[in-house]
Amino acid sequence: MKKLMLGAAALALMAGAASAEEVKLQLKWVTQAQFAGYYVAAEKGYFEEEGLDVTILPGGPDIAPEQVIAGGGADVIVDWMPPALAAREKGLKLVNIAQPFKHSGMMLTCLKETGVATTADFKGKTLGVWFFGNEYPFLNWMSKLGIPTTGGADGVEVLKQGFNVDPLLQKQAACISTMTYNEYWQVIDAGIKPEDLVTFKYEDEGVATLEDGLYVMEDKLADPAFKATMVKFVRAAMKGWKYAEANPDEAAMIVLDNDETGAQTETHQKRMMSEVAKLTAGSNGALDVADYERTVATLMGGGSDPVITKAPEGAYTLEITNEALK
């Protein structure tokens, strides 16, 4: 009888696994604490509790989430709003279904010895800027300051920065793009003291745009079954994020366990998770419309080269998060 009961239990588990809804999530970057909530949701069984079989796909320098989802390689992607809205205006109908990150972690980190103390000191300097969609907030910031990005004594020379801090360490640029939770600490780990740096947070400068949101294709939302799956996905993911916020060290270790490259370190991931928790704090997953409108206004204020030329329609939905939060 005991063997029969065990067999029935095993069959039930197999049936449950067979009926699990498959979801592919494409990350914006490599496996790191920036995405801890999703790894925690998988590790703690939150996705499984919702009947989901979630595959988390790491990103990298040669992976554009917008292209992956356009090609059918993912059901949902983690993306920043500027490239997502730019892609939407060009015809790729991405829709924001949740916004785990409430705050922006983007900033410029500058060597004090280069003479940069205020934004006025940017003129005549070389600034490292990330591209692949990450340049949009910077270009709008320079437009707001009235500083050309074409070089010269009254402008800035834009250095197309790789996803590393080498231009600052090698003094090829006065300032470089960094995130509060990642590259800034790489600079510190390289031996430069915090007192030798000057930082400018995009949020403090009034040009912050929404980062790390969850996006799907608009046409797929027409399918009630897909929408229901996304409700389950968001509910589990946000449960993972809130657990990560409350247990940052444990969350960092879960991330490390999922890093197949072995490139990440415990010290860096724990520090990263501590900083990322500050960015997700205050978000229950629902997009704040005021934050969205601020982002749109910033992207449309790009002078002669705005990121988007008109306010997008249908670029977000609150239905999924509202349902997930019930």
Side-chain angles (χ1 to χ4, degrees), residues 217-263:
M217 295 296 294
E218 183 175 358
D219 59 350
K220 294 194 71 173
L221 288 177
D223 179 1
F226 178 79
K227 184 179 288 189
T229 296
M230 288 300 102
V231 169
K232 297 173 186 177
F233 176 82
V234 168
R235 182 161 50 227
M238 289 312 301
K239 191 174 179 180
W241 271 118
K242 293 307 138 179
Y243 187 95
E245 278 182 29
N247 304 275
D249 285 353
E250 182 185 352
M253 295 307 294
I254 290 173
V255 170
L256 282 172
D257 288 342
N258 284 275
D259 174 30
E260 296 182 355
T261 68

Side-chain angles (χ1 to χ4, degrees), residues 250-317:
E250 182 185 352
M253 295 307 294
I254 290 173
V255 170
L256 282 172
D257 288 342
N258 284 275
D259 174 30
E260 296 182 355
T261 68
Q264 306 295 357
T265 67
E266 180 177 338
T267 298
H268 188 56
Q269 290 308 301
K270 285 184 175 180
R271 191 165 51 189
M272 183 185 292
M273 186 61 238
S274 178
E275 292 296 327
V276 166
K278 299 174 185 177
L279 306 183
T280 58
S283 172
N284 60 5
L287 174 70
D288 186 314
V289 176
D291 292 342
Y292 167 79
E293 292 175 345
R294 183 198 68 228
T295 296
V296 169
T298 298
L299 298 182
M300 291 180 66
S304 61
D305 188 27
V307 178
I308 53 176
T309 59
K310 57 185 178 182
E313 296 182 3
Y316 69 88
T317 176

Side-chain angles (χ1 to χ4, degrees), residues 108 122 124-131 134-136 138-139 142 147-152 155-161 167 172-175 177:
L108 279 184
F122 289 158
K125 302 294 194 301
T126 297
L127 309 183
V129 180
W130 290 321
F131 278 70
N134 300 308
E135 74 274 21
Y136 298 136
F138 170 82
L139 294 174
M142 294 303 107
I147 300 178
T149 55
T150 51
V156 297
E157 187 74 33
V158 176
L159 173 67
K160 191 173 182 178
Q161 181 184 336
Q172 298 170 337
C175 311
S177 298

Side-chain angles (χ1 to χ4, degrees), residues 17-186:
S19 63
E21 302 167 58
E22 294 185 0
V23 176
K24 288 184 179 180
L25 168 67
Q26 175 64 62
L27 304 182
K28 187 172 176 64
W29 193 238
V30 299
T31 300
Q32 60 182 21
Q34 177 184 356
F35 311 108
Y38 310 112
Y39 289 109
V40 169
E43 176 69 22
K44 295 295 181 181
Y46 301 153
F47 288 135
E48 187 178 8
E49 289 171 4
E50 294 286 350
L52 304 179
D53 178 10
V54 177
T55 300
I56 302 175
L57 305 171
D62 299 319
I63 297 175
E66 306 90 358
Q67 294 177 6
V68 174
I69 198 169
D75 300 296
V76 56
I77 63 174
V78 177
D79 205 359
W80 288 9
M81 188 165 280
L85 291 185
R88 184 176 177 86
E89 184 162 297
K90 293 175 183 176
L92 185 65
K93 298 300 183 181
L94 290 174
V95 176
N96 179 294
I97 60 168
Q99 188 59 46
F101 275 45
K102 172 70 175 175
H103 308 285
S104 168
M106 198 170 185
M107 61 183 181
L108 279 184
T109 294
C110 312
L111 283 173
K112 194 175 287 186
E113 67 183 54
T114 62
V116 175
T118 70
T119 56
D121 300 320
F122 289 158
K123 294 181 179 179
K125 302 294 194 301
T126 297
L127 309 183
V129 180
W130 290 321
F131 278 70
F132 300 101
N134 300 308
E135 74 274 21
Y136 298 136
F138 170 82
L139 294 174
N140 281 277
W141 183 13
M142 294 303 107
S143 176
K144 180 181 176 181
L145 292 173
I147 300 178
T149 55
T150 51
D154 293 325
V156 297
E157 187 74 33
V158 176
L159 173 67
K160 191 173 182 178
Q161 181 184 336
F163 293 99
N164 56 58
V165 299
D166 292 347
L168 194 74
L169 301 182
Q170 298 170 6
K171 300 186 179 180
Q172 298 170 337
C175 311
I176 61 170
S177 298
T178 62
M179 300 302 291
T180 57
Y181 51 79
N182 196 4
E183 291 79 12
Y184 173 80
W185 296 104
Q186 292 176 18

